[in-house]
Structures are given as structure tokens and as C-alpha cells.
Amino acid sequence: MQTGGLTDQFATKLSLGPSSTYVVTSKGTCFVMGSSKDGLLGLGPTITKTLEPKELKIKDGNAKLPIQSISVGARHAVAVMQNGTAYSWGVNTNGRLGVGESDKVQIEWAPLLLPQTEGVALACAGLDCTALVTHGGLVMSCGRQSGRLGHGGEVRADVSLPKPMFGGLQLWRRNGHSCAQG
């Protein structure tokens, strides 16, 4: 992929949203293109459309973090960084971003760190929820109160921070077989 003079990296992952495309490169750089009035681009409130790829920068302080993968939902996105942390942005209703309650801000225009998430291996943004799997196999979810969160009958409201599914579902793999244990 040659973007902005970058010839020393190549595309390794691709994620397609309803009106946007994300490309993650071999060096952990992410490029986004498309449009969104809901913050789905992650480029701030002044950029709601770009036909040319723009770099999505996720920072911890002043340090830019390399991105491992991105998943795009209907109105939000979540990224897993190479250091195992997760960030999300976009529409912040129903707790789908996993960043806690936000009574005043309905759109997060730039990536926010998901609290209580370390060692994240995989993240998936859904219609109105987010699911995460840690390197240790713990499966967590947050978002709109529904059966798809996997929290059982104990959830009677939206979940705004990632919570273990099924009381602590763990995924593991051994000898080429995958298994879940609760």
C-alpha cells in the first residue's frame, strides 16, 4: 500500500463499515476512508468525509500506538492495539463503546481507551454492542441490554463497561481443538 509516501509497509487487515473502510498495515498504521456523521471515522468532528486515506492515530499520551486490528459496527468501531489495550469511538449509546456512562456526549469523535481491558486479543463491534476476548481466553461484552451480551437474566439495563460473559466464559485451544468452559 502506498499512501502518503509510505512504501515500507503493506496492508495486513481490512475492515469494512457501513460507509467507511479501514486498512491496517504491517507496521500497525491504520488508514481510514469514507464518511460518517457519527464519528465512525475516528478523525475528529471536523472530518466527516474523506475520499483519500487518512491515518487514524491512537495515542497513549504523546506516543502513537501500533494497531493490531479494527472491527467496525453499525455506528461505532473498536481497535485492538499491539500492546493488548482496546480503544473505541463513534456513537456512545447503550454502552456500546465500553467506556462507561456518558450522559452528555453521544458521539465520541476520537478513540477512547476502554477501561479494565488489558491483554485483549480480539474485539468485535456489533450492531449495538462490543465483544472482547483476552489472551487468557476471557470473553467480555458491553452494550444494549439483550440476550446477545451473554450475561444471562442478571442484566436488566444496558452495560457500559465490558463485563465477563456467562459468568466468566473462558475460551481455550489445545491440540488443534477449541473449547469453551464456564
Side-chain angles (χ1 to χ4, degrees):
M1 175 172 189
Q2 293 183 350
T3 302
L6 301 175
T7 57
D8 61 339
Q9 51 191 316
F10 52 90
T12 59
K13 295 192 175 87
L14 177 70
S15 189
L16 302 174
S19 60
S20 57
T21 301
Y22 296 81
V23 177
V24 178
T25 72
S26 56
K27 295 208 173 180
T29 303
C30 179
F31 294 97
V32 61
M33 60 219 92
S35 64
S36 173
K37 293 180 180 161
D38 293 333
L40 196 54
L41 298 178
L43 300 172
T46 60
I47 302 175
T48 58
K49 181 178 183 181
T50 176
L51 301 178
E52 297 292 325
K54 292 205 179 289
E55 184 176 354
L56 172 66
K57 296 177 183 173
I58 299 178
K59 294 185 175 185
D60 179 10
N62 291 328
K64 185 178 123 185
L65 298 172
I67 298 171
Q68 177 179 309
S69 63
I70 289 186
S71 177
V72 185
R75 299 178 71 197
H76 75 294
V78 61
V80 175
M81 313 314 290
Q82 289 180 5
N83 68 3
T85 57
Y87 286 74
S88 62
W89 60 95
V91 172
N92 192 23
T93 55
N94 306 111
R96 74 183 79 194
L97 295 184
V99 295
E101 293 298 328
S102 179
D103 294 332
K104 296 179 184 175
V105 178
Q106 293 300 313
I107 297 176
E108 295 295 349
W109 294 97
L112 294 175
L113 175 66
L114 275 74
Q116 306 168 359
T117 55
E118 294 179 6
V120 175
L122 176 67
C124 296
L127 175 65
D128 53 12
C129 59
T130 297
L132 307 160
V133 179
T134 67
H135 287 288
L138 180 65
V139 183
M140 301 180 290
S141 64
C142 57
R144 186 175 185 178
Q145 179 249 347
S146 66
R148 74 177 144 249
L149 290 182
H151 298 158
E154 66 189 61
V155 176
R156 303 209 190 311
D158 295 339
V159 178
S160 63
L161 290 169
K163 178 179 176 180
M165 293 176 75
F166 304 110
L169 176 70
Q170 296 272 330
L171 299 177
W172 55 273
R173 184 180 170 137
R174 187 171 172 182
N175 298 329
H177 300 282
S178 295
C179 184
Q181 64 184 31

